[in-house]
Amino acid sequence: MLGLKLKNIFFILFGTTIFAFGLVHFNMQNNLAEGGFTGITLLLYFLWGIDPSYTNLLLNIPLFFIGWKLLGRTSFLYTVIGTVSLSVFLWIFQRYQIDMPLHDDLTLAALFAGLSIGVGLGIIFRYGGTTGGVDIIARLVHKYIGWSMGKTMFLFDAFVITLSLITYLSYKEAMYTLVAVFVGAKVIDFMQEGAYSAKGATIISDRNEEISTKILQEMERGVTILKGQGSFSKQDRNILFCVVGRNEIVRLKHVITSVDPHAFVAVSDVHDVLGEGFTLDENKNPIER
């Protein structure tokens, strides 16, 4: 009735678990800061010992109203679930934590901090949630301006880390924190674009019809015919475009060259493929991955 999906809720909870685990075991145990509102909660923790599980909720209450107005009811409810569950898991992991001191190897601590936070937030974003704070701001900027969430968060994070450097971080810890934030931003973008990637092939040949028929028969992949014109010859000609899985690109090249060894083929990365053969079967039913 509320428009929520159990699958989305499950993965939001899973993402906040990973996020909270990394925050407690890699950031807090090794005196590394973080960006955004999470960084502010850590700043309050390291300066005055205030529990981040509490300040996370208190700082996000004003943004809940923004989320309600601009993101819609469903996104707002997912945000509440993400924010509250993050506080709950932060509370749990602080009291039942695994001792993982990496003070002698801050490079490893920074990499795992960025990886765990990036994976956690990436999962949360991918299933329609946020953990409040800059997550809401990043979604709004992505929605209305088009910036990637990772880019928006990195800029805000830089400001918070600078403030942390002024107050409690050493220069060394600040630099490792920037490494963690950079890794996290890249992981978030990767997961937003789609962990599953395919390959797109643009094919120019004098034997287009034979190539497209053979691709359909031997690989069961569709081919789209585009209209193009040579810039030098000014002649109109057909251009083939085909999307295949990463593991099929070598086979596709073999099919093309078996028909026309002189065909021009340009292969590019394709992220987050939707449609028949990838997310839908031949009957237009969703394919579970």
Side-chain angles (χ1 to χ4, degrees), residues 24-64:
V24 171
H25 292 89
F26 299 117
N27 291 75
M28 294 174 66
Q29 284 192 12
N30 296 283
N31 204 51
L32 294 178
E34 179 55 37
F37 275 38
T38 304
I40 296 175
T41 64
L42 291 181
L43 189 150
L44 297 174
Y45 169 77
F46 285 119
L47 288 180
W48 296 295
I50 303 174
D51 192 329
S53 62
Y54 301 136
T55 52
N56 178 63
L57 282 178
L58 292 175
L59 289 173
N60 278 295
I61 289 175
L63 286 174
F64 282 164

Side-chain angles (χ1 to χ4, degrees), residues 43-283:
L43 189 150
L44 297 174
Y45 169 77
F46 285 119
L47 288 180
W48 296 295
I50 303 174
D51 192 329
S53 62
Y54 301 136
T55 52
N56 178 63
L57 282 178
L58 292 175
L59 289 173
N60 278 295
I61 289 175
L63 286 174
F64 282 164
F65 295 99
I66 298 176
W68 173 261
K69 293 292 185 181
L70 297 178
L71 296 179
R73 184 180 62 181
T74 301
S75 294
F76 169 76
L77 293 175
Y78 283 142
T79 296
V80 172
I81 292 170
T83 305
V84 173
S85 62
L86 176 60
S87 287
V88 170
F89 288 123
L90 281 173
W91 189 92
I92 293 173
F93 285 132
Q94 284 182 89
R95 285 150 183 82
Y96 304 97
Q97 59 182 287
I98 304 169
D99 189 24
M100 299 175 64
L102 294 171
H103 297 289
D104 296 331
D105 194 349
L106 284 179
T107 301
L108 196 60
L111 291 176
F112 273 91
L115 182 64
S116 58
I117 292 173
V119 169
L121 285 177
I123 293 173
I124 295 167
F125 289 157
R126 194 164 179 81
Y127 287 90
T130 75
T131 57
V134 182
D135 302 352
I136 293 179
I137 297 172
R139 285 175 65 88
L140 294 174
V141 171
H142 176 70
K143 181 177 180 180
Y144 293 107
I145 299 180
W147 288 7
S148 71
M149 292 183 179
K151 178 181 179 180
T152 304
M153 295 177 68
F154 184 77
L155 292 174
F156 195 94
D157 291 347
F159 168 76
V160 176
I161 293 169
T162 301
L163 184 62
S164 300
L165 174 61
I166 295 173
T167 54
Y168 75 92
L169 280 184
S170 67
Y171 286 104
K172 181 179 180 181
E173 292 166 343
M175 287 188 287
Y176 278 112
T177 296
L178 284 174
V179 171
V181 170
F182 179 79
V183 171
K186 291 299 180 182
V187 173
I188 290 171
D189 283 346
F190 171 76
M191 298 195 70
Q192 282 295 103
E193 292 171 355
Y196 176 82
S197 62
K199 295 288 186 177
T202 303
I203 308 160
I204 301 176
S205 170
D206 293 327
R207 304 174 68 181
N208 284 339
E209 187 172 343
E210 295 174 62
I211 292 174
S212 61
T213 300
K214 195 165 186 178
I215 292 174
L216 181 61
Q217 291 176 346
E218 296 191 11
M219 300 186 65
E220 296 184 347
R221 289 294 185 188
V223 180
T224 299
I225 300 176
L226 307 173
K227 299 296 183 181
Q229 184 184 76
S231 62
F232 178 76
S233 65
K234 305 300 181 182
Q235 293 182 350
D236 294 333
R237 65 186 310 163
N238 291 334
I239 300 170
L240 303 182
F241 180 72
C242 180
V243 177
V244 298
R246 295 174 64 182
N247 60 329
E248 296 177 302
I249 190 62
V250 174
R251 186 181 174 194
L252 176 65
K253 291 178 182 178
H254 176 73
V255 169
I256 296 169
T257 55
S258 67
V259 176
D260 183 2
H262 305 291
F264 176 86
V265 182
V267 179
S268 59
D269 289 324
V270 179
H271 297 282
D272 213 5
V273 187
L274 307 176
E276 185 175 342
F278 293 93
T279 57
L280 301 175
D281 60 21
E282 64 274 10
N283 298 316

